[in-house]
Amino acid sequence: MINLILNNNSKRIISIIAGGGDLPLKIIEKLNNLNINHNVVSLFGFGPEDYPQFKVGEIGKILEFIKSKGTTDVIFCGNIKRPSLFSLNLDSVGRKWLKTLGIKAFLGDNTLLKGIKELLKKEGLNVLSPQSILETLLTPKGILTKNSPSEQDLQDIARGIFVLNTMSKADVGQAVIVQEGIVLGIEAAEGTQCLIERCKDLKLTEKKGGVLVKTSKINQEQAIDLPTIGKDTILQAEYAKLSGIAIGASQSQIIDYNETIKHANEKHIFIIGV
């Protein structure tokens, strides 16, 4: 995908819809290095403060801004906490979008994001995935760290994948923590960090053990929302005394890959792409 972008970089103008974390800044840095014309929409309360700030509900203002820049492509990156639709204070365009989305707006994240992608296409905007710019984001398959999962860890990973695949049919959950076959917790609206914090006190023993399993849902909207881990995830896993992390190969992303693997090795936590 990046070759296509490079071949057409004179014609492309990319708008980055930026949430929190390091990923938006890395996308910006990469586009600068590629000399690709771009602009940034920073989501208020989440994204970097040194770019134009827009509230999540200001759909019309965001569209007006990116269209004034001649935008051809949009990249969603960074994390946000999904707010209640009733608290968004949607502008007139947002209310129109909500009416068009209908029931999709009240189902799971994946259904909502697919609906938003369709609406952007109707506005003449193509949605690019972050990994189309940062190809090293995608998780490789296999054991990525010096530490390897034990036989019990592998059984817990298999259990976690089964649970997530079952839950994904209802468009719920990208992560689960399993210890000795027992599901300690499933990620809901709170995010992975809160899941880990919640499960710390639910562990079967105080000793190191348990696995965070994180994968894409069935038919996940991968251009906008992929399961993600990074250095912070390693620190959280260490805090909860987890043995390791299993994450979907080629269907998830690792921010700061080399640094994340280095941190995992230092903390004796395994990472495996499954």
Side-chain angles (χ1 to χ4, degrees), residues 29-150:
E29 180 183 14
K30 183 67 173 183
L31 291 177
N32 282 330
N33 292 339
L34 294 173
N35 199 29
I36 294 176
N37 197 349
H38 62 279
N39 54 83
V40 180
V41 169
S42 183
L43 297 177
F44 181 77
F46 302 102
E49 295 181 356
D50 45 352
Y51 293 98
Q53 299 274 311
F54 295 87
K55 294 180 181 178
V56 176
E58 294 179 325
I59 307 299
K61 287 185 179 181
I62 293 172
L63 286 174
E64 182 181 4
F65 175 80
I66 63 179
K67 286 184 176 182
S68 73
K69 302 293 185 181
T71 294
T72 57
D73 303 90
V74 175
I75 294 178
F76 289 86
C77 55
N79 52 70
I80 68 167
K81 182 178 180 181
R82 177 175 171 175
S84 163
L85 290 171
F86 301 106
S87 67
L88 281 178
N89 295 320
L90 292 168
D91 59 20
S92 59
V93 176
R95 290 193 295 271
K96 181 180 177 182
W97 273 30
L98 182 59
K99 184 177 180 180
T100 303
L101 286 168
I103 190 64
K104 291 180 182 179
F106 298 93
L107 298 176
D109 287 349
N110 197 47
T111 305
L112 174 61
L113 293 174
K114 284 185 175 181
I116 291 174
K117 185 176 179 181
E118 292 169 5
L119 287 168
L120 287 170
K121 284 188 175 181
K122 290 180 181 178
E123 296 285 345
L125 298 165
N126 179 49
V127 177
L128 296 175
S129 64
Q131 60 269 25
S132 67
I133 302 298
L134 295 174
E135 293 182 311
T136 56
L137 275 176
L138 289 179
T139 302
K141 185 178 181 180
I143 299 168
L144 309 178
T145 49
K146 294 177 181 177
N147 276 31
S148 299
S150 67

Side-chain angles (χ1 to χ4, degrees), residues 8-28:
N8 296 280
N9 63 350
S10 62
K11 300 178 182 178
R12 289 181 179 271
I13 300 176
I14 298 175
S15 286
I16 301 164
I17 311 297
D22 294 334
L23 183 55
L25 298 178
K26 292 187 177 299
I27 296 287
I28 293 166

